[in-house]
Amino acid sequence: MFESLSENLQSTLKNLRGQGRLTEENIADALRAVRRSLLEADVALEVVRDFIERVRTQALGEAVRTSLTPGQEFIRIIQRELVAALGGESAGLDLRAQPPAVILMAGLQGAGKTTSVGKLAKYLVAQKKRVLLVSADVYRPAAIEQLATLGEQLSVPVQPSSALQAPLAIAQDALDAARREFYDVLIVDTAGRTSIDEKMMREIAQLHGALKPAETLFVLDAMTGQDAARTAKAFDEAVPLTGVILTKVDGDARGGAALSVRHITGKPIKFLGVGEKLDALEPFHPDRLASRILGMGDVLSLIEEAEQKIDRGKAEKLAKKLAKGRGFDLADYREQLQQMQNMGGLSAMLDKLPGAGQLPAQVKNQVNDRELLRSVAIINSMTPQERQFPALIKASRKKRIAAGSGTQVQDVNRLLKQFTQMQGMMKKMRGGGMKKMMRAMGGRMPPGMMGPGGPGGPQGF
């Protein structure tokens, strides 16, 4: 979402990093470029004005002028103010109400509200909460059906409802059921409209008054830019919101909504929807996102994601296998590729690595998640014996494997070369640990991470 803003800011600040002295003139030049970058990202004008003024005041202060590294100090100010603009501290869910704690979900049609209900349910179930879902969207019967389908996929119960019922009656029935069955959380999906209208406001106000929710979350489409923040403000004037879920941040949004919503509404962003899958919901951390925008990476989020999505049992099994001196085979390699897919693919991982923004464009363009899928398909087309003993794969077998996976023989050859490189790295890890492996890599990215001709070997993907 912040790719363009990130590139512009990093380019601007790069010139200041080595400055031994900051003057009003070079600060003014930098702030003009920062202002332009924020406006191009569709950040609201009042937010930009406030941000630039706060940075200017601090940048001209004594602490920066007397610093041994004034350029670095200026960048720290930018980072600190970005965190403040994004909301300061992380704001999680407050579910300390007497069970069932009610979460009231609101938003305009098309923002991804019903899908966000499913994602939030999955997130809470992972927190060991018993969750009940209900749809009070009687104007769009498909929404009721969609929620029932999501509940089935998640194995989360959904309170039955019908377009013939009144939304208030649906919500009260669901609350009664949640109390009887001792659920921890009740998530209520409300009606969405193409625009805010008086009838919608009356209805959501009635629901809010009857349910007394612990959380009232507004689902915003990041693609609508700063207008999304103004929509949330208008909604908050009718119903007291407690936070925002920003969806579709994995798309082509420029970041204006995220940087505008806290300033305009006073409400924190609590979650980001980062994909279509039901596990693609991330708690929002302003400090981590600010670091990513400035090219400093987000290693903490990468570690947390790895802990959640990497199969620990399989990883330990592979470690024990290598420790016993048994070889790393193509089935193991396939497992590693699938683990990368589970973490959102190589591009998502690269986005969280420090310094990734400084990579040349031609290098970043070679990160291709489709090659991951192709490699897995090639290995799937092999026999178990071929996966265990790759040396068996000669010309005739390569043709069969390529035909079975819908690829070319050259693709099979490339996969086998990547595997050989990875196999060698695994041997180095067993013989002398990670330090030897890093020396062997010589600063390159591991094979399998770049397109043909990219770093990590001439045939890496």
Side-chain angles (χ1 to χ4, degrees):
M1 174 173 69
F2 288 99
E3 185 175 347
S4 177
L5 173 62
S6 181
E7 288 176 357
N8 289 338
L9 284 180
Q10 288 179 51
S11 175
T12 299
L13 298 177
K14 183 179 180 181
N15 298 325
L16 287 176
R17 289 184 191 275
Q19 292 283 353
R21 178 170 170 267
L22 290 184
T23 64
E24 289 192 28
E25 184 179 355
N26 59 21
I27 287 174
D29 289 342
L31 288 178
R32 271 194 296 271
V34 170
R35 182 178 186 275
R36 184 170 59 251
S37 298
L38 293 172
L39 290 174
E40 287 176 357
D42 199 22
V43 180
L45 181 59
E46 60 264 44
V47 179
V48 176
R49 285 173 176 164
D50 186 59
F51 180 90
I52 295 297
E53 188 54 41
R54 291 201 311 272
V55 172
R56 178 184 288 111
T57 301
Q58 295 178 62
L60 293 173
E62 184 73 15
V64 175
R65 286 188 286 108
T66 59
S67 171
L68 293 175
T69 56
Q72 295 287 359
E73 192 64 36
F74 182 80
I75 292 168
R76 274 194 286 273
I77 292 172
I78 293 285
Q79 183 184 22
R80 190 163 60 240
E81 291 305 322
L82 269 179
V83 173
L86 289 165
E89 296 182 359
S90 303
L93 294 174
D94 183 359
L95 301 178
R96 290 174 293 180
Q98 181 177 345
V102 177
I103 300 177
L104 192 64
M105 302 284 283
L108 296 182
Q109 221 173 80
K113 178 168 52 62
T114 303
T115 303
S116 295
V117 170
K119 291 178 178 180
L120 189 57
K122 184 176 178 65
Y123 173 82
L124 290 170
V125 167
Q127 308 297 316
K128 309 302 182 185
K129 301 289 186 183
R130 294 189 69 235
V131 180
L132 178 66
L133 309 179
V134 67
S135 174
D137 188 351
V138 298
Y139 309 100
R140 194 168 63 94
I144 296 176
E145 295 173 8
Q146 182 185 358
L147 191 62
T149 302
L150 289 174
E152 188 176 345
Q153 290 175 7
L154 295 167
S155 298
V156 172
V158 179
Q159 177 74 5
S161 61
S162 162
L164 301 176
Q165 295 176 273
L168 189 57
I170 291 172
Q172 288 174 329
D173 287 347
L175 184 57
D176 290 341
R179 285 172 177 159
R180 283 195 311 270
E181 301 297 326
F182 302 104
Y183 283 97
D184 298 312
V185 181
L186 169 65
I187 305 180
V188 182
D189 185 20
T190 64
R193 308 283 205 284
T194 54
S195 61
I196 291 176
D197 58 41
E198 187 177 342
K199 182 180 178 182
M200 180 187 189
M201 288 303 154
R202 282 199 309 269
E203 182 178 297
I204 195 76
Q206 280 184 332
L207 290 170
H208 188 277
L211 297 171
K212 296 180 174 52
E215 292 276 1
T216 304
L217 303 179
F218 194 72
V219 180
L220 280 176
D221 182 349
M223 305 289 284
T224 55
Q226 61 175 293
D227 287 340
R230 301 193 189 284
T231 302
K233 183 180 181 182
F235 203 95
D236 183 55
E237 290 169 356
V239 180
L241 301 177
T242 59
V244 169
I245 296 179
L246 201 61
T247 64
K248 306 179 186 178
V249 301
D250 56 323
D252 295 327
R254 291 172 288 174
L259 282 161
S260 302
V261 69
R262 182 57 185 255
H263 187 281
I264 292 175
T265 68
K267 308 301 176 183
I269 299 172
K270 297 203 172 188
F271 292 95
L272 297 178
V274 294
E276 296 180 2
K277 294 182 179 179
L278 290 174
D279 60 356
L281 186 74
E282 294 182 354
F284 182 66
H285 299 284
D287 54 339
R288 299 183 191 182
L289 184 55
S291 293
R292 284 167 66 178
I293 291 173
L294 295 175
M296 300 172 185
D298 182 6
V299 175
L300 279 177
S301 291
L302 189 60
I303 292 170
E304 288 174 0
E305 196 170 1
E307 288 177 344
Q308 293 169 9
K309 296 182 179 179
I310 287 180
D311 190 315
R312 189 180 299 272
K314 290 180 179 178
E316 289 176 354
K317 184 178 178 181
L318 175 60
K320 288 178 182 177
K321 178 180 177 181
L322 293 174
K324 290 178 181 177
R326 293 163 58 196
F328 178 79
D329 60 28
L330 280 161
D332 299 321
Y333 188 45
R334 177 181 60 185
E335 189 62 47
Q336 300 308 301
L337 296 175
Q338 289 171 334
Q339 298 278 30
M340 288 184 193
Q341 285 179 261
N342 291 339
M343 291 183 63
L346 297 171
S347 55
M349 293 169 64
L350 185 65
D351 186 44
K352 294 183 176 73
L353 292 175
Q358 305 301 318
L359 290 172
Q362 64 267 29
V363 173
K364 288 191 284 187
N365 290 338
Q366 288 167 348
V367 177
N368 189 343
D369 290 326
R370 284 177 296 182
E371 293 292 344
L372 273 179
L373 299 173
R374 182 182 299 176
S375 296
V376 171
I378 291 172
I379 298 174
N380 285 341
S381 294
M382 299 175 184
T383 66
Q385 188 183 34
E386 288 168 342
R387 291 178 202 136
Q388 188 175 1
F389 304 106
L392 294 173
I393 305 174
K394 304 301 181 183
S396 61
R397 291 180 185 246
K398 289 177 182 178
K399 289 180 181 178
R400 191 204 76 244
I401 292 167
S405 58
T407 60
Q408 303 296 318
V409 171
Q410 299 96 299
D411 298 318
V412 178
N413 287 332
R414 184 159 58 243
L415 181 279
L416 292 172
K417 182 164 186 176
Q418 291 158 5
F419 166 73
T420 301
Q421 291 175 325
M422 181 63 80
Q423 195 176 42
M425 291 168 70
M426 289 295 182
K427 287 179 181 177
K428 287 183 172 67
M429 286 179 69
R430 188 175 70 237
M434 185 64 74
K435 288 183 180 179
K436 281 189 177 181
M437 186 190 78
M438 294 304 290
R439 282 198 295 270
M441 287 170 61
R444 299 175 299 166
M445 300 187 87
M449 289 193 72
M450 293 294 180
Q459 301 298 324
F461 62 75

